[in-house]
Structure formats: C-alpha cells, structure tokens
Amino acid sequence: MTPEDLSSALFDIVTARLDGSASITAADVLLERPRNRDHGDWTSNIAMKLAKSLGTNPRAFAAELVPEISAIAGVSKVDVAGPGFINITLDTAAAGEIARSILVAGDSYGHNHQLDGLSVNMEFVSANPTGPLHLGHTRWAALGDAIARVLSASGAEVTTEYYINDAGNQMDNFGASILAAAKGEPTPEKGYPGEYIQQLAAKVLEQVPNLAELPHDEAVGVARDIGYRQQLEEIKTSLESFNVHFDVFFSELSLHETDPETGLSLIDQAAVRLREQGHVYEKDDAVWVKTTDFGDDKDRVLTRGNGITTYFAADAAYYLNKKDRGFTEKIYLLGADHHGYVGRLKALAAAAGDDPDVNISVLIGQLVNLNGAKLSKRAGNIIELDDLVAWVGADALRYWLARYPADSPLSLDGEVLRSRTNDNPVFYVQYAHSRTRSVAKNAAAAGVDRSVFEPSLLSHEAETELLGSLQELPRIVAQSAELREPHRVARYLEEVAGHYHRWYSVCRVLPLGDEPVTDLHRTRLWLNDATGQVIRNGLELLGVSAPDRM
RNA sequence: GCCUCUGUAGCUCAGUGGAUAGAGCAGCGGCCUUCUAAUCCGCUUGUCGUAGGUUCGAUUCCUACCAGGGGCACCA
C-alpha cells in the first residue's frame, strides 16, 4: 500500500459516486499527512471541496464514502471528523510495506512522473568570466543545481546552462587590468583590482614573455584572451569542487560572430526576426523593441545611436537561440539585483511568439551576505567560492544554501557552518545516514539479515512515525519540482532524520546480549536500510554527500 | 514616485485555504557497562506587521497602510 495506491483507490470511489455530475482530476483527491497523528495516517478534504458543487453537506457526503473506503485493502479505520475531513488509518502491515518498496526502488525511490515530457533549459550562475566565483554566486550555484536535480527526478528533460558574458567593454577592462598588473602599473580606471589579477598576469607572461613590448591595443587583447581562458577554466574547476554540473557553457561572443555566408550574426538575425513580427521601430537614431506591448514598463534599445548593439540585443538573440533549440521552458535564476529584468525577459518571450506564462520562468532570489558584510567584486574584497568551500566544506555550504526558499533573505555564518552541532542541520541529517550504515554493518556481524520481512511487526509508535515520513519522499520531490523549491527536500530530510534518531533510541535492530535473532530484528533491518536509502536519495537531490561514517 | 521581496516564539527560520501554527538554537531539568551521546527524553514561549475584504474555514488569496531589503540605463 503506497500513498499512490490509496490515492487512486480513493479517486475511483469519489469518481464513481459523482456519476458525471461533476468532474475532478486525480490532483483534486489530495491525501495529506495530518499534523496530529490522532487523526490517522492520511486525511482527505475532498468532501469539503466537493460539497458546494454537489449542494450537499460535507460531513454527510464524507459519511457516504466511509463504507467504500473502509473496504480498500489495507485500510483499518475510516473516520469523519471536524467540518468533513476523512481520516484514514492503515493496518500495520500495509503501512510497513513501504520499507520493501523503497528498497526495491533503490536509488530511484522518490523519482516521479510529475513533469514527464517537459523540456527545460535551466540557466544559472552565468557570472562574468572576469574573476573567480564568489559569495554572490554560491547561492545560485547550489540552488540552481538542486532545482535541476529535482526537475530531472520528476521526469523533466533538463539542460543546465551557464551564459558566459565574454563580450563588451568589461572584457577589455579585464584585459587592460591584467596588462597593467603585468607591467607593474596601477589598476586602470574601471579595471579589476583583485589579487587574482596579479596571478592571471603571471600566467599570461608565462605564455607571452614579451607582452609589454606589444602595441597597447594588441597587448590588451592578448592579456584578455589568455586571461579569459584561464579564468573560465578556474570557474569550471570551482563548480566541479562544489558538485555543480553544467551541460552547456554558452558564449555571448558566439552571438556576435557573423556567419560568413549570410554576413549576419545571431544578434542581427534576432533583430530581423523581431522586426518581421512587427515589434521593432526607429527613434532618435536608435533601434527599439516595443516591449511595452507585452507588459514591460519601457521599450528597450536593440541598437544604440552609435550603431553598437546593446546587452538586451544579446539577451534577445540568446532567448531565440534557446527557443530554436526546442526547450519548452526556459528558466532563468537571477539575483534580486536583477529583478528589473523580469519584465523585459517576459516581454521578449511574448514578442518571440512564446507564452510568457508557460515558456519562460524568471526565478528571483534574495542576496546572500556573510556575517552581515556584503561583498563587491570590484572593491577587491571578494570571498571566493573556493575559499568558502575550503573553510566550511562543500556539503555544509550547499546544504545551508539549499534549505531556504530563494525569496528568503539569507546570511551565512562561517562559525555555524563549521560547527558540529544542531545549529548546523547538515550534520544532523548526515549523521542519521551514517547511523543507518553502521547499524547495517553491525547487523551483518551479528547475523541479522533481510531474509524475512514481516511488516505487521513494525507496530511501535516510533516505527509508524518513521514509515509515515519515508513514504512521503516522492510527493516531496514532485512538489519541490513543481514549485522550483528544493528547500522542501532539505526540510523533509530533517524530519526523516528526527524520526529515525527517535526510532533508533527505542527500537533495537540488533539483539541484546544473548537474545536470539528474531523476525522483528530482521524486519527492522529493512526499515533501517530503507531509511538510509531515503536520506541518501534526498541528499543526492541537493548535491550533498551521504557519508557512511562520520 | 513605480516595481518587487520580506515581516510568524527571546534569536534564526519552516509552514503553495484546513483541525490545537511548528523546528532548531538559546534557557531549565533528565538518560551513556548493550546497534556511534554529532543522538534521545521532559518543561517553557505567540496581537502569524496593522486594518479591511473574499468563504464553510485565512498565517496562506485580494486591497490599503506601516516597517525593512533590492531594483527602476542607448552599462555589462
């Protein structure tokens, strides 16, 4: 008896009762875990939802359903309570069966079909390649990667993508900064002052020892190109060490390159396409897109009076490129400092003929600060991602960043992240996992194996609670994917870990002293192992390791 | 001025219309010769920012207001 079985059985009963007088979908027949366990294992508010359209009293309607629900295999008790809740209690064996289901499903337990058929482009981080990843990027790296994982686990086809802003003045400023450092000159105006610039300059000089003798513009170009390649490699390495994977690194520069056959760049082509759709006009020597037709608060410039295209033009070309690659949904994960982009991106999607409510999602996250201090790359007081990882560990950092909703302000406290106490929930969860492993190991040594599984024996209150939480993983994952809120997985894991620790303290898997090994011990080993599987699968979705020992 | 996010226990925060609003921390008090005490058990804490509205029911949805964060380029 999985929750899905119960849910579909309930759905059939309600549908039959309706007899075509009202239509409902499976999603309407929502089964929930009641907060108060006195209200049973599962509860449904379907009677209250339907009472109005049926013109009947919710309690009366619920009461009519009770006999049929009671007849479902594995259901031991059905009550109508309060304004019309239907509270369902399962018999012990039916509830315990989930432990076996989990172990059969293994690493795929929790995966679901909520988003089957959805093709998603998930863009995040996209930091300028003019310096190392720093604190400001950590949240998007952890969150974006976790979102991609829950989407995939829910059946979506996901491509993770990093947009490299490798065009424009900033790259020249970057090159000029490296050149200045190579020559021992002060950082130029609008340049990058960080210590890493010195190291990049040293790399450039290794490859081009006569850099200082080249004509200035050429030297800037050489410093820029070599520095860029080096910096991008370091960014990729940092992301790997943070367990964040990108399928595609997309170069903005490639949007500017002209096709030798047509003489047009992707940006030019985008302008043509938008013009063909009737959304482009000229004013004050510039070329504009009428994004206000699609809800933007002002029109946007594609080509400036001086003939140079804007960053927005590249955004447009990039969006069209994603559309051409066939993604039904383009997700952008941006910081709150970019929230002004939402309107123009949505308008862009609409102008391109897409549905802005379906084909594009712009997720805005609040910024992170560390011990109250905000950091600026330009100011040179950056805290690099690598330093943070080395300081507190990738697991603690990723878990902390993933356990809060994106729109919740977040501050990092290095001392808490390093602490081995309940201040730092990652250890609470990881410890629970390692405990399941050590119990399993000791069980093997004590001759307890999984040769017998008798779920009706899992009748202790702590086991009921634990089983109840274990069966929720699939719906938690589906919900996290649907809402793009992976923090729900983290909060759920903390709940599972709590139930496990409490179970551990009252229910022994191993026999005491000279006690014989019983079927209860064997069956509990199933439950122990199933718990380990659930925690491992959940942590995997957050990109956090599940150690066997701590 | 406009847009947007946030406001829940002393602190940090969960809670996508349900029943008596939760967790961790902090505070006080318990349990280690038996599967790892990084665990567990007990006690204590609320005008869910304010005021209206929507309905069987609102911390949750809508409106206004108050307070705080962020944003409103022919920069990238």
Side-chain angles (χ1 to χ4, degrees), chain A residues 198-211:
Chain A
Q198 304 291 333
Q199 293 161 17
L200 288 174
K203 293 270 185 187
V204 175
L205 283 173
E206 275 176 28
Q207 293 182 43
V208 186
N210 65 339
L211 182 72

Side-chain angles (χ1 to χ4, degrees), chain A residues 144-176:
Chain A
D145 188 65
I147 291 173
R149 289 173 190 237
V150 295
L151 290 175
S152 294
S154 297
E157 189 93 15
V158 183
T159 296
T160 53
E161 193 149 321
Y162 183 119
Y163 183 54
I164 313 166
N165 295 132
D166 52 5
N169 299 334
Q170 56 180 349
M171 292 305 292
D172 292 328
N173 295 336
F174 174 61

Side-chain angles (χ1 to χ4, degrees), chain A residues 126-137:
Chain A
S126 296
N128 292 344
T130 53
L133 296 179
H134 58 84
L135 178 65
H137 306 120

Side-chain angles (χ1 to χ4, degrees), chain A residues 163 250-257 265-267 314 317-318 321:
Chain A
Y163 183 54
F250 192 97
S251 161
E252 182 193 348
L253 216 46
S254 69
L255 297 170
H256 293 264
E257 287 163 0
S265 67
L266 288 171
I267 291 176
Y318 187 31
N321 177 272

Side-chain angles (χ1 to χ4, degrees), chain A residues 365-383:
Chain A
Q366 298 299 306
L367 304 180
V368 179
N369 60 69
L370 178 67
N371 296 333
K374 285 174 194 162
L375 299 157
S376 155
K377 183 194 288 190
R378 293 206 175 250
N381 61 347
I382 54 177
I383 292 191

Side-chain angles (χ1 to χ4, degrees), chain A residues 41-62:
Chain A
D41 293 322
W42 295 98
T43 186
S44 173
N45 62 0
I46 188 66
M48 287 177 286
K49 285 220 161 139
L50 291 177
K52 191 192 287 179
S53 60
L54 295 175
T56 123
N57 173 309
R59 284 195 62 109
F61 181 61

Side-chain angles (χ1 to χ4, degrees), chain A residues 176-193:
Chain A
S177 303
I178 295 173
L179 178 61
K183 289 177 165 177
E185 293 172 358
T187 305
E189 198 179 337
K190 290 189 177 175
Y192 296 87

